[in-house]
Amino acid sequence: MGRAGAHGCAALEGLTVTLIAERVMDAATISTWMREVEASVRAERDHLVQLDAAIGDADHGINMTRGFEAVVQALGADNGSPPGRLLIIAGRTLVSTVGGASGPLWGSALRSGGRVLGDQTTFDSAQLVEVLAAALASVKDLGTASLGDKTMVDALEPAVETLKSRIAGGESLAQAIDAAAAAAEAGMRATIPLQARKGRASYLGERSVGHQDPGATSTALIMRALQRAVTSQP
């Protein structure tokens, strides 16, 4: 799980300044994230189904729950893989178990993020930004979707950009990831007045207006789950 490194002290003209090392994340962070996602989508399954019934196939909650249950099971059976490898396993599992667009999109996203980390055993805040940026790029490429198309991108892109800017600005990971999750939730709500331009919802034309996008909703749940995972104590 996310954990802070050891404290150090630096003497400066008679003053003692406490230095807090960068929070380090590892394989346990990824496993915790996936468990948090599974719990969230399971708890919100019926809500996701209702949202999808309005503009899709009414199976988004069912598919996401099944997929992340399989991910948790797959990671539970893993024997010591590094975090990047766990993301790749999670992505492959989603592709094989989730129907519709969500499986390929999130599967590709997690695999792309996993490849960023390679075989390293730990990663920091800046590398988490790289992981999520790669995931976003993969989703946009595979789904050919942009901000404003009423898709998961409307939640994921604001989250990634917020995390990137907050970390670059020197905020702590806890503050930055909370802001990123809030940005995803705001992006989710912002899909309500949009007309869908991608996916099955786009077939409805103007009738898609007034409905919250289910993919953006589950994406917001995933980002909030990440916030809980990286800020939890070991």
Side-chain angles (χ1 to χ4, degrees), residues 9 14 37 45 60 73 86-87 89 95 119 133 144 160 171 176-177 184 195 211 215 227-228:
C9 292
V37 173
R45 181 185 61 187
H60 187 63
Q73 183 176 7
L86 293 183
L87 285 172
I89 292 171
V95 169
D119 293 328
T144 64
V160 174
E171 282 194 11
I177 194 66
Q195 179 173 325
H211 299 282
Q227 180 262 330
R228 292 193 296 272

Side-chain angles (χ1 to χ4, degrees), residues 1-3 23 25 28-30 32-37 40 123 128 132 159 162-163 171-185 218-233:
M1 301 178 202
R3 59 182 186 273
R23 183 176 290 270
M25 293 164 280
T29 310
I30 302 302
T32 300
W33 182 20
M34 294 299 106
R35 289 196 301 271
E36 290 286 347
V37 173
S40 294
F123 59 103
L128 178 61
L132 295 178
T162 297
L163 184 65
E171 282 194 11
S172 69
L173 176 59
Q175 292 174 315
I177 194 66
D178 182 61
E185 290 158 357
S218 60
T219 297
L221 293 175
I222 289 169
M223 287 304 303
R224 184 56 72 182
L226 177 60
Q227 180 262 330
R228 292 193 296 272
V230 301
T231 58
S232 61
Q233 294 300 313

Side-chain angles (χ1 to χ4, degrees), residues 146-158 184 187-188 191 194 216:
S146 300
L147 200 65
D149 283 345
K150 200 182 182 91
T151 71
M152 62 185 286
V153 172
D154 290 301
L156 186 57
E157 185 164 326
M188 168 195 76
T191 63
L194 297 179

Side-chain angles (χ1 to χ4, degrees), residues 84-165:
R85 177 63 183 166
L86 293 183
L87 285 172
I88 291 173
I89 292 171
R92 288 176 177 170
T93 302
L94 289 176
V95 169
S96 66
T97 58
V98 179
S102 297
L105 288 171
W106 271 112
S108 177
L110 295 181
R111 286 182 295 178
S112 294
R115 286 192 288 270
V116 167
L117 295 179
D119 293 328
Q120 64 192 65
T121 57
T122 62
F123 59 103
D124 60 17
S125 300
Q127 290 170 314
L128 178 61
V129 172
E130 294 177 10
V131 167
L132 295 178
L136 173 63
S138 178
V139 167
K140 294 180 74 171
D141 181 60
L142 183 60
T144 64
S146 300
L147 200 65
D149 283 345
K150 200 182 182 91
T151 71
M152 62 185 286
V153 172
D154 290 301
L156 186 57
E157 185 164 326
V160 174
E161 291 303 316
T162 297
L163 184 65
K164 181 179 180 180
S165 64

